[in-house]
Amino acid sequence: MRDVAVIGVGMHPWGKFPDSSITQMCRQAVEAALEDAGAEWPDVQAVSAGSSRFSGGKGWGLNGNDVVEDMGPTGVPVYNLSAGCAAGGNAFDIGHMLVSSGMYNMVLVVGGEKMPKGMIQLSGVDEETDPEYLRQIAVGMPGPAFWALLCRRRMAEHGTTEEQLADIAVKAHQISVHNQNARFRKEFTQEDVLNSALVSDPLHLYEICPVSDGAAAAILCSAEEARKRTTDPIWVAASAVATAQFDDGIPRGLASPAPADGHAYHSEALLAVESCYEKAGVSPKDVDLVELQDNTVYYELAFPEEWGLCEPGEAESLLERGETLPTGKLPINPSGGFLCFGEATTAMGMFQVCELTWQLRGQAGARQVPDAKIGLGQTLGLGSNASAVILKR
Amino acid sequence: MTTTKRVPVTEGLFEETAGGARLLGSRCATCNSTYFPKSPVCHNPKCNGSAVEDASFGPLGKLWSYSVQHYAPPPPAKFDEPYEPYTLGLVDLPEGLRVLGRMSTDNPNSLEVGMNVELVIERIHGDDDGNDVVSWMFRPA
């Protein structure tokens, strides 16, 4: 397999953009990535795209085709990848393979999303054979309640306090004031967070991510091509996707196997991350920064422990000591994360590739992780999909 | 005098017996993995068996976690207007199942992770004909 470089990244700001189409937003991200790469649209030999069920894509998730038609039909092959919120990461993984395999020398990976208003209705399938439909009619459990159950369990097991949960949101917003692409760029106090509406107890409104519109893109190329265009490429040390294992204790429908030791963890995320460690020859202690999918503050405590980045039960004290800030020992979401950007589902993996690239190049300004050399990104999506990526300079 | 009928939210998920409420599912004849709702096959990748049998579960379990749902859920979930917050629970049953369900409690503050709970069949909302639509719930045992 050949080495693969990220030579250009671009992002459309995240937020609510009622006057922009998804195609316009993707175009802005793609043009920025091409310019950053010093490349022209006809140089792109293949496109790998996150496939949305919410916007564009001709109603069939053909979002990559929308981009190609808009940028100018050159006949390039297009791969549309569907993996819920992991679709951007999934598209990156395929884009990486298209270059590492030797099939193509330059590939565009893009993810864009315009989300409908309000909470995501988890299932689009109104049939009693669909486990999510059954869960909604028989129990009535939207997404945030799922996170709340995991969070409440952690509070019982580790003594996590409501104040500590709130401090994760405070930290995220403290960083996001320095990120021009963030939707929310306002600092909050712990009191502000705890006074925001309780959504699913113990989680407050400011402790879960809202839905947003957003787009992000990257240009991947072979080492030979990268050396022609830049002296400072960022390398894809590893990319992986995974799905869940049978007995991880996470109920994805009405029930799951109950592990005898009471545990529950996202095996799909762990598998993707561990696969990246192995492929990259990187150990958790080598990781300089992490962009993880913080749909809720809970994950910022649970994931680093599940992935060996810190000890079980250590996440709260790292937070309290400021070690998860960009200047700390284990910087988590120096972008501000999805708490501050919102969830633009299929763009999320590419959002992380952009932020990791800026950080590794030293272009992150006031949110810069000092001397960052190795960065880990991770997404989690419906259908028990997960993606992970390790970039290095 | 009219009698309010109890209508299950969907057929085939639960029953009320003399020994208490039961959830209706399946058990693998080979590896004993349990499923709710019923599964026509065993999904355990380490199991080579293919035969599953009907099985029922409950009524006792331990509360793995819980959460009060403070806002009205989006469709297709239904509730009586005006919306009143309800509590959700995740319960480990001794048959090896971790099951979601609503909690039957007037005082969510009294709930504790790890407490004993029992399965009950209770009203979750009404329907247009004035019937009680019932589903499985858990209450402190």
Side-chain angles (χ1 to χ4, degrees):
Chain A
M1 301 290 264
R2 303 191 299 175
D3 286 342
V4 178
V6 178
I7 58 160
V9 292
M11 190 183 291
H12 183 287
W14 288 37
K16 296 309 277 182
F17 301 96
D19 299 330
S20 300
S21 71
I22 181 64
T23 306
Q24 288 171 311
M25 293 177 61
C26 283
R27 187 185 187 95
Q28 188 173 324
V30 171
E31 284 179 340
L34 285 168
E35 188 186 346
D36 191 35
E40 306 286 337
W41 166 243
D43 298 336
V44 171
Q45 296 172 337
V47 174
S48 182
S51 184
S52 168
R53 95 168 161 90
F54 295 109
S55 49
K58 308 176 195 312
W60 288 74
L62 305 177
N63 297 76
N65 298 82
D66 285 350
V67 169
V68 169
E69 285 174 12
D70 182 58
M71 292 300 295
T74 56
V76 282
V78 173
Y79 300 83
N80 293 289
L81 280 306
S82 183
C85 294
N90 216 302
F92 184 87
D93 194 57
I94 294 299
H96 175 251
M97 268 191 256
L98 292 174
V99 178
S100 68
S101 66
M103 291 265 283
Y104 302 104
N105 289 325
M106 189 178 290
V107 168
L108 165 70
V109 187
V110 58
E113 189 76 88
K114 274 180 76 79
M115 296 294 291
K117 279 185 182 162
M119 273 178 293
I120 301 173
Q121 184 187 326
L122 287 180
S123 169
V125 185
D126 285 0
E127 293 167 11
E128 292 194 358
T129 51
D130 180 65
E132 288 207 6
Y133 177 76
L134 264 187
R135 181 163 78 178
Q136 296 314 324
I137 64 161
V139 180
M141 196 190 90
F146 171 77
W147 304 324
L149 290 168
L150 295 173
C151 191
R152 171 69 68 196
R153 177 76 185 189
R154 182 179 180 92
M155 293 169 87
E157 284 181 352
H158 291 294
T160 314
T161 64
E162 291 202 10
E163 288 74 19
Q164 288 168 332
L165 296 172
D167 282 347
I168 296 167
V170 171
K171 185 220 72 169
H173 289 277
Q174 193 182 333
I175 301 170
S176 75
V177 296
H178 303 299
N179 196 333
Q180 62 187 11
N181 289 317
R183 176 174 176 184
F184 303 109
R185 300 182 63 195
K186 180 175 177 289
E187 287 204 51
F188 291 126
T189 63
Q190 187 191 79
E191 199 181 4
D192 292 334
V193 177
L194 292 175
N195 285 337
S196 68
L198 259 179
V199 175
S200 293
D201 176 52
L203 297 175
H204 298 80
L205 188 62
Y206 294 172
E207 293 168 335
I208 58 176
C209 75
V211 296
S212 277
D213 306 336
I219 304 293
L220 307 187
C221 69
S222 62
E224 191 186 352
E225 190 70 33
R227 277 190 282 270
K228 282 188 223 161
R229 293 172 185 271
T230 176
T231 53
D232 199 18
I234 299 302
W235 299 100
V236 184
S239 173
V241 299
T243 53
Q245 289 171 307
F246 179 66
D247 53 358
D248 66 4
I250 299 275
R252 295 177 173 85
L254 288 175
S256 71
D261 63 2
H263 74 232
Y265 67 101
H266 282 284
S267 56
E268 63 274 53
L270 179 61
L271 286 170
V273 169
E274 282 186 332
S275 172
C276 276
Y277 290 157
E278 192 187 329
K279 288 176 186 169
V282 158
S283 93
K285 67 175 177 352
D286 301 325
V287 173
D288 296 316
L289 73 145
V290 185
E291 282 287 328
L292 57 78
Q293 192 171 314
D294 57 340
N295 287 104
T296 169
V297 292
Y298 163 80
Y299 287 125
E300 196 162 321
L301 300 174
F303 279 155
E305 295 178 4
E306 289 170 15
W307 307 339
L309 294 163
C310 67
E311 295 299 315
E314 193 190 1
E316 286 85 354
S317 67
L318 285 175
L319 166 78
E320 288 186 331
R321 298 202 308 272
E323 300 289 10
T324 56
L325 285 164
T327 49
K329 194 166 76 177
L330 180 62
I332 299 175
N333 292 354
S335 63
F338 299 114
L339 287 174
C340 302
F341 275 75
E343 180 177 44
T345 54
T346 53
M348 292 157 84
M350 293 314 298
F351 162 91
Q352 294 176 336
V353 167
C354 289
E355 177 66 14
L356 293 176
T357 300
W358 289 323
Q359 289 283 350
L360 295 171
R361 287 177 180 165
Q363 295 175 332
R367 61 180 201 284
Q368 180 66 46
V369 172
D371 197 30
K373 293 189 181 70
I374 293 177
L376 169 67
Q378 164 273 341
T379 66
L380 192 66
L382 185 65
S384 76
N385 285 293
S387 75
V389 60
I390 293 179
L391 300 187
K392 66 179 182 186
R393 71 171 153 93
Chain B
M1 191 179 123
T2 57
T3 315
T4 306
K5 262 175 42 186
R6 281 160 64 90
V7 182
V9 66
T10 185
E11 294 292 336
L13 289 182
F14 50 84
E15 64 180 6
E16 291 176 284
T17 72
R22 309 283 291 173
L23 294 174
L24 303 178
S26 311
R27 177 181 282 110
C28 174
T30 308
C31 73
N32 281 324
S33 288
T34 47
Y35 296 95
F36 173 70
K38 286 182 183 178
S39 172
V41 293
C42 180
H43 301 293
N44 181 355
K46 292 174 186 154
C47 174
N48 295 319
S50 55
V52 294
E53 300 158 347
D54 284 353
S56 68
F57 314 114
L60 297 178
K62 279 196 189 305
L63 187 60
W64 191 85
S65 189
Y66 62 94
S67 169
V68 181
Q69 183 62 27
H70 282 270
Y71 62 92
K78 289 182 183 165
F79 48 85
D80 289 326
E81 301 280 0
Y83 176 76
E84 286 288 334
Y86 53 79
T87 306
L88 298 165
L90 191 51
V91 171
D92 279 1
L93 300 178
E95 295 91 346
L97 268 184
R98 181 166 289 163
V99 181
L100 286 164
R102 287 206 202 175
M103 299 299 296
S104 171
T105 175
D106 294 331
N107 182 13
N109 291 328
S110 69
L111 298 176
E112 279 178 34
V113 168
M115 78 192 305
N116 292 320
V117 294
E118 66 179 330
L119 194 65
V120 290
I121 308 300
E122 290 183 7
R123 181 184 198 274
I124 54 170
H125 56 78
D127 70 10
D128 293 341
D129 301 324
N131 299 319
D132 284 347
V133 176
V134 299
S135 190
W136 74 94
M137 292 195 197
F138 296 98
R139 76 173 172 216

